[in-house]
Amino acid sequence: MIIEMICTPLLLFGKAFIAMLPVLEYIPNSIVNTLDMIIKAMQFFPLDTWIIVIGNIVFWITLHLIWSIVNFILRLIPFLNMG
């Protein structure tokens, strides 16, 4: 419920932003259904589940970002270039 209260303004902002796009005269049903599914999922799963899921996603994005920077730097050093 707390996560739903926190994310509700973001979802409403997303719906408002999509509605303001000049290319779209209407919001496609797929986007509306996706947002409704996210809202229902936030009501169904407890807070610790959302913390684990969001933490896991952030962890892996951070890990891949750090690894790509390390890989880029290692490829710049000529005597360490393995590939």
Side-chain angles (χ1 to χ4, degrees), residues 2 4 6 18-20 23-24 29 32 36 42-44 46-47 50 55 57 62 67 69-70 73-75 81:
I2 296 172
E4 180 186 359
I6 292 171
I18 291 171
M20 289 187 334
V23 178
L24 299 174
N29 288 334
V32 172
D36 289 338
M42 284 193 292
Q43 294 173 351
F44 183 71
L47 177 64
W50 287 107
I57 292 170
T62 305
W67 179 248
I69 292 170
V70 167
I73 290 172
L74 287 177
R75 289 187 188 268
N81 193 357

Side-chain angles (χ1 to χ4, degrees), residues 1-80:
M1 301 272 292
I2 296 172
I3 296 293
E4 180 186 359
M5 275 189 349
I6 292 171
C7 292
T8 299
L10 296 174
L11 292 173
L12 292 176
F13 178 72
K15 284 183 179 181
F17 179 74
I18 291 171
M20 289 187 334
L21 290 174
V23 178
L24 299 174
E25 295 181 8
Y26 67 97
I27 300 174
N29 288 334
S30 60
I31 295 174
V32 172
N33 292 338
T34 303
L35 290 175
D36 289 338
M37 184 177 62
I38 290 171
I39 290 170
K40 287 180 184 175
M42 284 193 292
Q43 294 173 351
F44 183 71
F45 292 111
L47 177 64
D48 56 348
T49 304
W50 287 107
I51 290 172
I52 291 171
V53 168
I54 293 170
N56 194 10
I57 292 170
V58 170
F59 169 73
W60 282 107
I61 288 173
T62 305
L63 187 73
H64 284 289
L65 180 66
I66 290 171
W67 179 248
S68 65
I69 292 170
V70 167
N71 196 10
F72 177 75
I73 290 172
L74 287 177
R75 289 187 188 268
L76 288 177
I77 303 172
F79 59 86
L80 290 178

